[in-house]
Amino acid sequence: MNPNQSILISSNHHNAHSLIIAALILVIIAPLLSACVTPHAPEQKAICDEDNNDMTLCHFYDSDTPYLRSKANHNKQTSTPLTNAMGNTYLMYAGQSQQALHLPQNIRLSVGDRLNVKVLNGEEFSGSVEINNDGYIYLPYLAPIHAKGLDVQALSIKIKQHLVDEQFMLKNSVRLSITPLKWAPVQITVSGGVFEPGQHQINKKSDLEIIDDDGDHSGDQASKRSIAAALRASGGVRPDANIKEIMVIRDQHSFTLDLSGVIHGFPVPSMTLMSGDHIHVPQHDYFDDALARPSQITAPGIRVFLSNLTQPASSNSQSAVDTDATRFPYGTRLLNGAIAANCVGGAQSTNASRHLLLITKNPLTAQVDVIERSMDELIRHSWETGMNPILMPGDGIACYDSRVTNIREIARSITEVLVPATLLELL
């Protein structure tokens, strides 16, 4: 036998032996690596289970652990959710009517409000005025008059008194009218159970509304100086909010309002806000699903971050995950978000066993929680709140491929490393 042929045969045997070893390695390693469908679990102390379900201590929920948002164990709720109080409509309505009797009914003037003051037989004292930052209005020949915090009637009495005190007119001969021309935007503060507490501006008109208002009419609506507008400006109330005892603090006075009628469809008390008002929304220690829906005092929609790097799609755009797919009505649950991310569907035998992660910030604890769900189990238990939680603003959903796809990708990765090495040996 030719020595070169002997060397070639020996080399072929060696290459075949290498390929056999590579195949055995592939068969052994691929199933082991494919078992890691989702990232490695965190430390044991952070994992929640039936014995450790305190949301202030644990933050990772596996596929079998329900996720019920609360400050402590969900079995220790001390209050009654709003959903269990829907039948007592008469008492609810009667309570709201009594509340409304104690609320200020007249609009209080704020900085920037524009008024038209007319004095009968006193045109030199008449004119259109605007409340300055110092809270005063300035009429010709009169000393500055403090108007902030007064209603129109109280301001009228004050102007009359100035005219009499300055001896411009007799007490019984003063006749004047005050007509509101424009209610200005006002700064209010909101605290408690809302998504964006802090200072907010309400009743701000758009440029188009300002252009359409030609000024040929008297009077102005103050519809956007309501409590509902202030709560919407603060991102809406959270599902742990106690909307039966919302407090409005004005100067040294406080008013308590029951706004539960917004959710149930019954009348609610109204109060026009003024600059400097503070709204506090008390909080429960539980998560009320009934508040997680679009309304006048909740967020109309939410934005959720999605990641679905599936195969054969190699990017979110190819998976049809665009800006429209990440916007949901408030109250959307995890399964609907998974469907929007294209995590559900496809070949059943190779794509049904997908997993996903929900990264959410619990509004009750202000902690970030991670919830793992099997797509099969999520569909089977979609009607259970703990297994199919409601999405919150800013949540993140990440989808992971099925085990079959994982094995295929692992095999492809190993092949891309071993096959070129074998070819190099042949050369």
Side-chain angles (χ1 to χ4, degrees), residues 9 63 102 129 184 199 211 213 224 247 254 275 279 291 302 330 401 403 418 426:
I9 293 173
S63 298
H102 303 288
V129 295
Q199 182 172 324
I211 294 174
D213 188 5
K224 294 182 180 180
M247 295 181 59
S254 63
S275 180
I279 300 176
L291 290 180
I302 61 174
Y330 187 41
D401 286 318
R403 184 162 299 178
L418 295 181
L426 291 175

Short mmCIF file of all heavy atoms in Angstrom, two decimals, residues 9 63 102 129 184 199 211 213 224 247 254 275 279 291 302 330 401 403 418 426:
data_model
loop_
_atom_site.label_atom_id
_atom_site.label_comp_id
_atom_site.label_asym_id
_atom_site.label_seq_id
_atom_site.Cartn_x
_atom_site.Cartn_y
_atom_site.Cartn_z
N ILE A 9 -6.00 7.25 4.77
CA ILE A 9 -6.98 6.40 5.44
C ILE A 9 -6.97 6.67 6.95
O ILE A 9 -8.01 6.77 7.60
CB ILE A 9 -6.70 4.92 5.14
CG1 ILE A 9 -6.95 4.63 3.66
CG2 ILE A 9 -7.56 4.02 6.01
CD1 ILE A 9 -6.54 3.22 3.24
N SER A 63 -43.44 29.42 37.64
CA SER A 63 -44.64 29.15 36.83
C SER A 63 -45.82 28.69 37.65
O SER A 63 -46.98 28.86 37.23
CB SER A 63 -44.31 28.09 35.77
OG SER A 63 -43.32 28.56 34.89
N HIS A 102 -71.38 70.01 51.55
CA HIS A 102 -70.31 70.66 52.30
C HIS A 102 -69.19 71.16 51.38
O HIS A 102 -68.20 71.69 51.89
CB HIS A 102 -69.73 69.68 53.32
CG HIS A 102 -70.75 69.14 54.28
ND1 HIS A 102 -71.30 69.90 55.28
CD2 HIS A 102 -71.32 67.91 54.38
CE1 HIS A 102 -72.17 69.16 55.97
NE2 HIS A 102 -72.19 67.95 55.43
N VAL A 129 -59.53 92.85 33.51
CA VAL A 129 -58.38 92.70 34.39
C VAL A 129 -58.00 91.22 34.47
O VAL A 129 -58.80 90.34 34.17
CB VAL A 129 -58.68 93.23 35.80
CG1 VAL A 129 -58.90 94.74 35.78
CG2 VAL A 129 -59.86 92.51 36.42
N ALA A 184 -57.91 80.48 33.94
CA ALA A 184 -56.52 80.19 33.61
C ALA A 184 -56.15 78.77 34.04
O ALA A 184 -56.81 78.15 34.87
CB ALA A 184 -55.61 81.19 34.31
N GLN A 199 -46.51 67.81 41.29
CA GLN A 199 -47.20 69.03 40.87
C GLN A 199 -47.59 68.92 39.40
O GLN A 199 -46.80 68.50 38.56
CB GLN A 199 -46.29 70.25 41.08
CG GLN A 199 -46.94 71.57 40.70
CD GLN A 199 -46.09 72.77 41.12
OE1 GLN A 199 -45.45 72.74 42.15
NE2 GLN A 199 -46.08 73.80 40.30
N ILE A 211 -56.89 79.93 19.62
CA ILE A 211 -57.19 80.64 18.37
C ILE A 211 -58.69 80.69 18.12
O ILE A 211 -59.23 81.72 17.69
CB ILE A 211 -56.47 79.95 17.20
CG1 ILE A 211 -54.95 80.10 17.36
CG2 ILE A 211 -56.92 80.53 15.85
CD1 ILE A 211 -54.14 79.34 16.33
N ASP A 213 -61.02 80.78 20.28
CA ASP A 213 -61.66 81.67 21.25
C ASP A 213 -61.39 83.10 20.83
O ASP A 213 -60.37 83.69 21.16
CB ASP A 213 -61.13 81.39 22.65
CG ASP A 213 -61.91 82.15 23.70
OD1 ASP A 213 -62.92 82.81 23.35
OD2 ASP A 213 -61.52 82.10 24.89
N LYS A 224 -62.05 71.66 32.92
CA LYS A 224 -60.79 70.97 33.13
C LYS A 224 -60.12 71.36 34.45
O LYS A 224 -58.96 71.05 34.67
CB LYS A 224 -59.84 71.26 31.97
CG LYS A 224 -60.33 70.69 30.64
CD LYS A 224 -59.34 70.96 29.52
CE LYS A 224 -59.84 70.39 28.20
NZ LYS A 224 -58.90 70.65 27.09
N MET A 247 -59.22 63.21 49.42
CA MET A 247 -59.19 64.46 50.17
C MET A 247 -58.69 65.60 49.28
O MET A 247 -57.72 65.44 48.54
CB MET A 247 -58.28 64.34 51.40
CG MET A 247 -58.77 63.36 52.45
SD MET A 247 -57.64 63.31 53.87
CE MET A 247 -57.71 65.04 54.39
N SER A 254 -60.16 71.06 54.62
CA SER A 254 -60.08 69.81 53.86
C SER A 254 -61.48 69.30 53.58
O SER A 254 -62.40 69.48 54.39
CB SER A 254 -59.28 68.76 54.64
OG SER A 254 -59.94 68.44 55.85
N SER A 275 -55.82 77.32 42.09
CA SER A 275 -54.38 77.19 42.20
C SER A 275 -53.96 76.99 43.65
O SER A 275 -54.45 77.68 44.55
CB SER A 275 -53.70 78.44 41.63
OG SER A 275 -52.31 78.35 41.73
N ILE A 279 -54.45 67.46 46.44
CA ILE A 279 -55.32 66.28 46.44
C ILE A 279 -54.51 65.11 46.99
O ILE A 279 -53.40 64.84 46.51
CB ILE A 279 -55.84 65.96 45.03
CG1 ILE A 279 -56.64 67.14 44.48
CG2 ILE A 279 -56.69 64.69 45.03
CD1 ILE A 279 -57.10 66.94 43.05
N LEU A 291 -60.51 48.70 39.65
CA LEU A 291 -59.98 50.03 39.31
C LEU A 291 -59.06 50.00 38.10
O LEU A 291 -58.65 51.05 37.62
CB LEU A 291 -59.24 50.62 40.50
CG LEU A 291 -60.10 51.05 41.69
CD1 LEU A 291 -59.23 51.62 42.80
CD2 LEU A 291 -61.16 52.05 41.27
N ILE A 302 -51.92 52.14 28.58
CA ILE A 302 -50.59 51.96 29.15
C ILE A 302 -49.62 51.61 28.04
O ILE A 302 -50.01 51.19 26.95
CB ILE A 302 -50.57 50.86 30.24
CG1 ILE A 302 -50.99 49.51 29.62
CG2 ILE A 302 -51.45 51.22 31.41
CD1 ILE A 302 -50.86 48.35 30.60
N TYR A 330 -55.88 50.21 29.47
CA TYR A 330 -55.62 49.93 30.88
C TYR A 330 -56.52 48.80 31.36
O TYR A 330 -57.73 48.82 31.14
CB TYR A 330 -55.86 51.19 31.70
CG TYR A 330 -55.47 51.07 33.15
CD1 TYR A 330 -54.30 50.42 33.53
CD2 TYR A 330 -56.26 51.62 34.15
CE1 TYR A 330 -53.93 50.32 34.86
CE2 TYR A 330 -55.90 51.54 35.48
CZ TYR A 330 -54.74 50.88 35.82
OH TYR A 330 -54.39 50.77 37.14
N ASP A 401 -38.16 30.93 23.47
CA ASP A 401 -38.59 29.89 22.55
C ASP A 401 -38.79 28.56 23.25
O ASP A 401 -38.34 28.34 24.38
CB ASP A 401 -37.58 29.73 21.42
CG ASP A 401 -37.65 30.89 20.44
OD1 ASP A 401 -38.78 31.29 20.11
OD2 ASP A 401 -36.59 31.38 20.01
N ARG A 403 -38.55 24.35 23.83
CA ARG A 403 -37.38 23.48 24.02
C ARG A 403 -36.88 22.93 22.68
O ARG A 403 -35.68 22.79 22.48
CB ARG A 403 -37.75 22.35 24.97
CG ARG A 403 -36.59 21.44 25.32
CD ARG A 403 -36.90 20.64 26.56
NE ARG A 403 -37.12 21.53 27.70
CZ ARG A 403 -37.45 21.08 28.91
NH1 ARG A 403 -37.60 19.80 29.12
NH2 ARG A 403 -37.63 21.92 29.90
N LEU A 418 -17.71 23.03 15.56
CA LEU A 418 -17.01 21.77 15.34
C LEU A 418 -16.76 21.49 13.87
O LEU A 418 -15.68 21.00 13.50
CB LEU A 418 -17.80 20.63 15.97
CG LEU A 418 -17.92 20.67 17.49
CD1 LEU A 418 -18.71 19.48 18.00
CD2 LEU A 418 -16.53 20.67 18.14
N LEU A 426 -9.00 18.38 7.78
CA LEU A 426 -8.94 17.73 6.47
C LEU A 426 -7.95 18.45 5.54
O LEU A 426 -7.30 17.82 4.69
CB LEU A 426 -10.31 17.70 5.83
CG LEU A 426 -11.34 16.76 6.50
CD1 LEU A 426 -12.69 16.92 5.83
CD2 LEU A 426 -10.87 15.30 6.40
#
